[in-house]
Amino acid sequence: IVCQKEEGNVEKREEVKGWFLTGSHPYNYEMGIDSKIFHSGKASGYLKSVSVQDQTEFATMMQECKADLFKGKRVKLTGFIKSANVNAHCAMWMRVDNALQDTLQFDNMHDRPIKGNTEWNRYSIVLDVPESSAMIAYGFLLIGTGTVWADNFQFEVVDEKIPTTNMSIKGQLLDEPMNLSFEE
């Protein structure tokens, strides 16, 4: 683990236990642990733009785990997020995949993005974990420039009465192919 102390109580790290950095341009971001800015406890995780060239670039600080403990259940991921100078947006996210890495359930808060400067707020994502699930991936992301902090992530099995936040494909599937000659 490569660590170096920066201003205040921020530890810039290439590795944070249990978490990894990925995205479209992860090398344009840094992640670490901040022991000065946190919601509770002694620290938070942070993701910060460093050399972002385009507001469509993004990075995510994430984890993956086996879905075994949650198969056939509805899971609620909650966490606290704080943002500073977020130009595009940041969010918490969660995805459920099968063994072939097909996405079964997904929510990246695209319909409820966090922008600008915000204080600590609690956010939730609720997804079903089908029996065919193999993995659950989750974390927080930053699109464009700014800084986002995350703290106190928790998984909880919830009742089916709690609605999911799954981002389903809009529209309806046709019963059969239609207008294949483009003449209608």
Side-chain angles (χ1 to χ4, degrees):
I1 296 176
V2 177
C3 297
Q4 62 187 33
K5 284 285 189 183
E6 290 195 348
E7 55 190 271
N9 294 322
V10 174
E11 259 186 69
K12 180 181 163 187
R13 295 185 178 191
E14 289 181 10
E15 291 187 35
V16 175
K17 184 179 180 180
W19 296 89
F20 62 95
L21 182 65
T22 188
S24 69
H25 294 77
Y27 43 84
N28 291 346
Y29 294 82
E30 75 177 41
M31 72 176 203
I33 294 174
D34 192 326
S35 58
K36 186 175 181 182
I37 297 174
F38 53 87
H39 180 261
S40 65
K42 297 179 180 179
S44 67
Y46 78 90
L47 189 55
K48 177 181 178 180
S49 61
V50 176
S51 58
V52 170
Q53 303 295 310
D54 182 319
Q55 292 302 311
T56 63
E57 294 177 13
F58 78 95
T60 181
M61 189 168 166
M62 66 174 285
Q63 287 191 22
E64 298 171 328
C65 70
K66 293 179 183 178
D68 297 349
L69 294 175
F70 303 104
K71 284 183 180 182
K73 299 174 182 168
R74 184 163 287 178
V75 175
K76 181 178 184 180
L77 170 66
T78 57
F80 288 86
I81 303 285
K82 175 182 172 67
S83 65
N85 304 312
V86 173
N87 190 314
H89 82 264
C90 62
M92 191 169 69
W93 64 273
M94 182 166 64
R95 187 184 74 232
V96 180
D97 294 343
N98 65 17
L100 299 174
Q101 297 183 340
D102 296 324
T103 299
L104 305 175
Q105 297 270 298
F106 178 70
D107 182 4
N108 67 356
M109 294 179 52
H110 188 74
D111 58 344
R112 52 198 194 285
I114 304 164
K115 300 179 178 189
N117 298 302
T118 63
E119 290 302 318
W120 289 107
N121 287 298
R122 184 176 188 235
Y123 297 92
S124 298
I125 291 173
V126 180
L127 298 178
D128 289 326
V129 182
E131 290 293 340
S132 61
S133 302
M135 180 187 74
I136 301 173
Y138 53 93
F140 58 104
L141 61 85
L142 175 59
I143 301 174
T145 56
T147 305
V148 58
W149 293 266
D151 204 356
N152 297 329
F153 277 27
Q154 294 181 341
F155 273 92
E156 160 187 23
V157 174
V158 295
D159 190 278
E160 298 279 324
K161 293 176 187 170
I162 307 280
T164 71
T165 59
N166 183 41
M167 298 175 67
S168 60
I169 298 171
K170 303 284 189 252
Q172 301 244 330
L173 289 177
L174 301 172
D175 291 330
E176 58 188 47
M178 176 189 264
N179 192 22
L180 299 179
S181 64
F182 304 99
E183 294 178 9
E184 291 179 31

